[in-house]
Every structure is written in structure tokens, then in C-alpha cells.
Amino acid sequence: MKLKSFLLLLTTILSFSSMGYFDKADFLDEVRGKYILQTEYIGEIVFLVRSSGQVQVIDSDADEFLPVQTQISIGDNGMLRGLPVLQISFNSGSDEQAVDSYVLLTAEHNWDATKKTTLLASFTVENDGPNNVASVLSKKLKLLKYNSSLKKYVVLR
């Protein structure tokens, strides 16, 4: 009887966590890889997502980037309950005019046990301080991820 009570209590406690299938290591294992972000205003950005979660720009049409900023949200404290989210910010420009592109990625674990990286959102914003302009330049950017089994880049949706 004590074992049944313990299992019931344990199941109840675990049911309150919306972490789902992924922990941080599983999530980073799925989203790591080589990507190409195609933007209208900054140009093309080729970057790597490392298994540590760090992002490294390999090549870019932009003249100069500020350090790439990343944030990983997982579990109940994240952006989406149960789905981990990697937010990447590519910041370019100067203190007078900044053009930043953002990418939000998640990883799904479906009922058929397949895993896939999914693009949640991508957009570019501009802040031109001297001219008092702050605007959204683009709401949808094209993101490609290298698929090693196909040996080519595939568009993420």
C-alpha cells in the first residue's frame, strides 16, 4: 500500500512540470548545427549553433556585428511551457542607426518519436536614433539548416 501511495504522489508531483521530453542537453543536441539566415537589410549570415548553446558567425554580408546574443529558455520559466526556445540576436550598425535580426528556434519531439528543429519567429528591427525612427523592417526571414544526411541546406518552417 505504501508503494502505491508513493507512486501516486510521485506521479502527481511530476505531472506539474511542463518540461516535457527535452532537457537542455537534448535540446542543444537537436538545434546545434550550421545555419544560413537570409535577410533583406543585413544580407546573408552563416552561423553555427554549438552544443554549448553558443552561436558563432562564420560569414556575413554585414560590415560589422556586435557580439551575437543568445538566450535559452526551458521549462516553466521559459517563453513556452514545455518547449525550449533558443533566442538569437544578430546586432549590426552603430549607436546612431542599429539594425538587428532575431531568430527564435525550438525543438519538437513528436508522437512518432521524431525530433525536429522548428523556426518559431524571425524578424528584423531598426532603431535610427537621430531621426527618431524605430520600426519593424521585416517580419519573416528565411532560415536554412544544413542537413548532414541529405548533404544540403533545408528551409526551416
Side-chain angles (χ1 to χ4, degrees):
M1 186 66 170
K2 289 183 181 184
L3 181 60
K4 285 183 181 181
S5 299
F6 174 73
L7 289 175
L8 180 62
L9 177 64
L10 182 64
T11 304
T12 304
I13 291 170
L14 292 177
S15 70
F16 289 117
S17 171
S18 63
M19 180 56 201
Y21 176 77
F22 286 106
D23 62 8
K24 187 174 181 178
D26 291 330
F27 172 63
L28 290 172
D29 187 51
E30 176 58 34
V31 298
R32 71 182 168 96
K34 189 174 181 181
Y35 294 84
I36 298 176
L37 179 64
Q38 297 174 340
T39 73
E40 186 177 340
Y41 296 93
I42 299 176
E44 196 169 86
I45 305 165
V46 181
F47 65 97
L48 290 175
V49 175
R50 303 259 183 215
S51 58
S52 64
Q54 295 299 313
V55 173
Q56 176 188 357
V57 175
I58 298 171
D59 191 23
S60 169
D61 293 340
D63 295 332
E64 184 177 325
F65 273 112
L66 299 172
V68 176
Q69 299 176 3
T70 60
Q71 178 181 346
I72 299 172
S73 303
I74 294 181
D76 291 335
N77 297 324
M79 296 175 68
L80 303 173
R81 290 188 336 152
L83 281 177
V85 176
L86 172 62
Q87 175 184 322
I88 307 170
S89 170
F90 298 99
N91 307 309
S92 67
S94 64
D95 58 347
E96 292 182 3
Q97 182 181 21
V99 177
D100 302 335
S101 291
Y102 294 87
V103 173
L104 299 176
L105 292 174
T106 191
E108 296 181 64
H109 182 255
N110 298 314
W111 288 102
D112 61 358
T114 59
K115 298 178 193 174
K116 71 176 186 172
T117 303
T118 302
L119 176 64
L120 290 173
S122 59
F123 53 92
T124 300
V125 295
E126 173 189 31
N127 185 359
D128 187 350
N131 295 315
N132 296 322
V133 173
S135 60
V136 176
L137 297 176
S138 179
K139 294 182 182 177
K140 185 68 176 166
L141 309 175
K142 189 173 187 179
L143 183 66
L144 300 103
K145 183 178 182 183
Y146 186 75
N147 184 317
S148 57
S149 62
L150 297 175
K151 296 194 183 330
K152 68 177 187 175
Y153 284 93
V154 293
V155 176
L156 290 183
R157 301 190 191 287

